[in-house]
Amino acid sequence: MLTVDFDRLGVGPGTRVIDVGAGLGRHSFEAYRRGADVVAFDQNADDLAQVKVMFGAMAEAGEAPEHARAEAVQGDALALPYEDGEFDVVIASEILEHIPSDERAIAELVRILAPGGALVVTVPRWLPERICWLFSDEYHANEGGHVRIYRADELRRKIAGLGMRFIHSAHAHALHSPYWWLKCLAGVSNEKHWAVASYHRMLVWDMMKRPWLTRTAESALDPLIGKSVALYFTKPAVRRGGF
């Protein structure tokens, strides 16, 4: 389940991509499939161990081009161990809402992006997230949980304020918002509640089969209750000779 539009980012053979806050690697795997040289970066060693295994399995099965490179790297998003301008594409999906010092993290994302490169940041959208917080403290008030609810225009200003040019926004995963509302009402850890379990089965079926009915419904609902908002930026290229 991808939140990021890889076609819009122009990811392809030889693109240098870093997925900051990669988690279990869903966006890293897509970049690798497209032939990019990708770094899955996260602080969770257990998640990264699984990502590394999957990279190996993809290579062995021929699911990624032979020229593509992929690695899993553990570290701190507030101090990325890379040179300025090292990556063509920087992805930060569903990570900033977890970081108290989000402006430091944003500055690092911008720093490692090459001039002319693309940055995409996704976060939970204000309305669906606000409803989750209203229904349940357990949803967000835990170690590593969400520390803020963003408004898209607020986040856009923070990133644009570092010299980035905003180019596009999109919403995604509308069908997932009711699922999280149900979980918050039933108890976030109560996976066996009949309503939660039933809805989860529907989501799995939808992801596996991708029928036209649910695809059409989600496209229509995304602008209203999409669970995530994605903001796309470019880093202005360095001008030569003062022109």
Side-chain angles (χ1 to χ4, degrees):
M1 183 185 72
L2 299 176
T3 310
V4 167
D5 184 344
F6 280 79
D7 291 332
R8 179 172 293 280
L9 293 172
V11 174
T15 308
R16 299 166 298 167
V17 177
I18 184 168
D19 181 10
V20 180
L24 290 172
R26 60 196 174 108
H27 291 112
S28 297
F29 300 147
E30 179 64 18
Y32 190 35
R33 288 188 188 97
R34 290 175 175 242
D37 297 330
V38 58
V39 175
F41 189 92
D42 204 282
Q43 66 177 359
N44 189 311
D46 292 336
D47 285 352
L48 289 177
Q50 296 184 55
V51 171
K52 186 175 181 179
V53 169
M54 186 61 179
F55 279 150
M58 291 174 66
E60 186 174 342
E63 293 184 21
E66 290 186 4
H67 62 76
R69 299 195 304 270
E71 60 177 330
V73 177
Q74 184 182 13
D76 183 356
L78 300 181
L80 296 169
Y82 299 103
E83 299 295 328
D84 295 358
E86 191 164 336
F87 295 93
D88 302 313
V89 172
V90 176
I91 298 169
S93 184
E94 314 297 303
I95 176 178
L96 291 179
E97 68 274 12
H98 296 275
I99 301 176
S101 302
D102 65 329
E103 293 184 358
R104 283 182 57 192
I106 292 168
E108 281 291 273
L109 299 175
V110 171
R111 179 184 67 79
I112 64 171
L113 180 64
L119 165 68
V120 58
V121 172
T122 84
V123 295
R125 191 178 181 186
W126 186 86
L127 179 59
E129 185 76 349
R130 186 70 188 88
I131 293 172
C132 286
W133 283 46
L134 180 65
F135 286 165
S136 171
D137 288 336
E138 182 186 4
Y139 170 80
H140 67 94
N142 54 72
E143 185 176 356
H146 298 183
V147 298
R148 70 178 61 79
I149 303 176
Y150 283 107
R151 290 187 180 273
D153 57 350
E154 168 201 1
L155 181 55
R156 174 179 169 177
R157 285 194 297 270
K158 285 186 177 184
I159 298 173
L162 294 177
M164 299 291 289
R165 184 168 67 88
F166 173 75
I167 57 173
H168 182 68
S169 67
H171 301 103
H173 313 317
L175 294 182
H176 288 250
S177 290
Y179 171 69
W180 282 100
W181 297 338
L182 287 171
K183 281 178 68 72
C184 288
L185 286 169
V188 173
S189 58
N190 186 8
E191 302 285 350
K192 295 183 178 180
H193 188 279
W194 69 269
V196 173
S198 297
Y199 201 102
H200 184 264
R201 284 194 295 271
M202 185 277 289
L203 289 178
V204 172
W205 170 78
D206 173 61
M207 287 187 285
M208 296 297 292
K209 302 295 185 180
R210 300 188 64 80
W212 71 267
L213 179 61
T214 53
R215 294 300 86 217
T216 302
E218 184 156 70
S219 294
L221 290 170
D222 274 342
L224 301 174
I225 59 169
K227 183 72 169 65
S228 297
V229 57
L231 303 176
Y232 296 80
F233 299 83
T234 59
K235 190 173 190 177
V238 176
R239 295 186 177 182
R240 298 182 182 275
F243 296 100

